[in-house]
């Protein structure tokens, strides 16, 4: 398969596009390759699918970001998978921490529970995009890289209202799954929050199953700047897709998020998770991410519920992280 490198940049943020149908060429390829679809499953539907997506992302424009600069992102997103293997990824991506100078220490660290709480809120994506675009045109584009404020919060870096358009190289998405033709658009709607609009295809190995339907994707992505002229990163997304049903189920999604928050707090209070202010290292935060994986990769919602029940039985208050006043910089 030949990668088509499409890049695009403009002075104003591109519109937040709805999911597009495949091109004629992609449609022909899809019809010719019967192994692309999610069919051929030998077992029943999985309630949780592991995500291990390590690949290279790039865009054509140059970047002044130094090599080995790192970001840690938190995903609270919706992934919809069709019978023919097409998928869309929408929803929230949050900046959890960064190490711009490859110092070996994360800066601006946030508690992942804060992000899940935000995603539980009743935010309207259209209103967030409209407010972000207004800010971008008013002062974000001109002042963000020197420092400005949005919604009462000072920040510096990529302007709120700006967008990225990345091409992701084909790579394994999870055990027995290949992701390809991944086109990734994201729009910054707050100082540490982005809205995703990602399209792609999944190809499953024989005997491997991905149940078509809607999923809640929870995970962590470490992005490391590569020493290339173009704006390119190695990205590693680890997490889990929790099955919501044939169609998106808001109540089910919120239930899983609340159980995840309780489970995180339970582990944190029992000393099994490091404090939100001190991930273990900037080289991927290996220990930190491994411990988070203990919650993320629960094989079933029942296990998450059991942890939540254990947390409730201790009759303790949820852990709250310290407030972060400044976002220094981002990709």
């Amino acid at each position: 398969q030949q990668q088509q490198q499409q890049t695009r940049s403009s002075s104003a943020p591109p519109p937040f596009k709805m999911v597009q149908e495949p091109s004629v060429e992609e449609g022909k390829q899809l019809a010719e390759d019967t192994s692309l679809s999610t069919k051929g499953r030998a077992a029943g539907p999985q309630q949780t699918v592991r995500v291990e997506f390590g690949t290279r992302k790039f865009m054509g424009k140059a970047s002044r970001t130094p090599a080995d600069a790192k970001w840690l992102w938190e995903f609270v997103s919706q992934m919809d998978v069709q019978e023919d293997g097409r998928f869309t990824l929408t929803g929230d991506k949050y900046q959890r921490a960064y190490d711009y100078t490859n110092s070996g220490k994360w800066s601006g660290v946030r508690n992942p529970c804060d992000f899940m709480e935000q995603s539980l809120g009743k935010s309207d994506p259209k209103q967030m995009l409209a407010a972000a675009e207004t800010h971008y045109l008013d002062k974000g584009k001109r002042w963000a890289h020197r420092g400005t404020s949005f919604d009462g919060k000072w920040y510096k870096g990529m302007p709120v209202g700006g967008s990225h358009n990345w091409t992701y190289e084909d790579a394994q998405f999870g055990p027995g799954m290949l992701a390809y033709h991944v086109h990734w658009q994201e729009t910054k709607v707050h100082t540490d929050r982005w809205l995703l609009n990602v399209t792609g295809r999944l190809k499953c190995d024989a005997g491997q199953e991905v149940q078509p339907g809607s999923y809640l994707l929870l995970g962590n992505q470490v992005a490391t700047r590569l020493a290339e002229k173009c704006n390119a990163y190695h990205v590693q997304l680890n997490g889990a897709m929790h099955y919501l049903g044939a169609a998106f189920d808001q109540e089910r999604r919120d239930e899983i998020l609340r159980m995840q928050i309780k489970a995180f707090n339970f582990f944190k209070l029992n000393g099994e998770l490091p404090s939100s202010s001190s991930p273990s290292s900037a080289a991927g935060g290996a220990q930190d991410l491994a411990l988070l994986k203990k919650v993320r990769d629960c094989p079933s919602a029942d296990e998450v519920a059991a942890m939540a029940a254990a947390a409730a039985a201790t009759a303790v208050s949820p852990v709250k992280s310290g407030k972060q006043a400044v976002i220094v910089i981002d990709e």
Side-chain angles (χ1 to χ4, degrees), residues 37-290:
S37 76
T38 58
K39 293 183 178 180
R41 296 177 294 274
Q46 293 182 1
Q47 296 302 306
T48 304
V49 179
R50 186 184 300 275
V51 175
E52 297 172 347
F53 188 32
T55 187
R56 173 179 173 268
K57 70 175 184 179
F58 63 93
M59 63 172 70
K61 67 179 183 179
S63 171
R64 292 176 292 180
T65 303
D68 296 320
K70 294 177 176 64
W71 280 263
L72 176 60
W73 302 97
E74 193 82 11
F75 282 68
V76 185
S77 311
Q78 176 184 342
M79 186 161 175
D80 295 297
V81 181
Q82 299 186 32
E83 188 74 29
D84 61 8
R86 287 183 292 167
F87 73 85
T88 60
L89 180 64
T90 56
D92 295 319
K93 167 187 168 181
Y94 297 95
Q95 180 179 289
R96 187 181 171 214
Y98 61 89
D99 178 16
Y100 190 72
T101 60
N102 192 26
S103 65
K105 296 181 180 179
W106 291 117
S107 299
V109 182
R110 298 287 303 278
N111 187 331
C113 293
D114 293 346
F115 303 136
M116 288 187 280
E117 291 281 6
Q118 286 187 54
S119 293
L120 279 170
K122 303 301 180 183
S123 302
D124 184 339
K126 291 183 179 180
Q127 291 181 2
M128 287 193 293
L129 288 163
E133 182 178 10
T134 298
H135 168 81
Y136 182 92
L137 298 174
D138 182 32
K139 59 180 181 179
K141 176 185 174 183
R142 182 177 180 183
W143 296 108
H145 291 286
R146 300 178 185 178
T148 187
S149 61
F150 176 76
D151 195 23
K153 190 173 183 180
W154 189 87
Y155 76 101
K156 182 180 180 181
M158 173 80 176
V160 171
S163 295
H164 283 156
N165 289 273
W166 300 98
T167 296
Y168 273 56
E169 293 185 345
D170 301 352
Q172 178 175 298
F173 189 77
M177 289 185 292
L178 173 73
Y180 69 104
H181 290 336
V182 177
H183 302 290
W184 189 290
Q185 184 190 46
E186 53 191 17
T187 302
K188 190 173 182 179
V189 294
H190 212 283
T191 54
D192 57 4
R193 186 176 187 175
W194 300 67
L195 287 184
L196 299 173
N197 186 36
V198 180
T199 61
R201 304 264 201 262
L202 291 179
K203 176 180 178 180
C204 296
D205 293 343
Q208 181 63 30
E209 172 191 5
V210 178
Q211 176 75 3
S214 187
Y215 293 81
L216 168 63
L217 190 153
L218 298 173
N220 315 100
Q221 184 189 66
V222 176
T224 305
R225 178 72 164 87
L226 298 175
E228 300 182 18
K229 290 184 179 180
C230 70
N231 196 5
Y233 288 79
H234 176 268
V235 288
Q236 181 67 50
L237 173 62
N238 291 324
M241 294 162 50
H242 300 269
Y243 186 67
L244 300 177
F248 179 71
D249 186 334
Q250 178 81 40
E251 184 177 346
R252 177 61 176 157
R253 186 206 75 146
D254 291 353
E255 177 188 11
I256 293 174
L257 283 178
R258 292 189 182 99
M259 290 190 295
Q260 289 272 334
I261 291 170
K262 290 180 180 179
F264 269 118
N265 287 328
F266 172 72
F267 284 131
K268 189 176 291 291
L269 288 170
N270 283 273
E272 296 189 53
L273 287 174
S275 68
S276 62
S277 60
S278 58
S280 57
S281 75
Q287 179 183 359
D288 183 32
L289 299 183

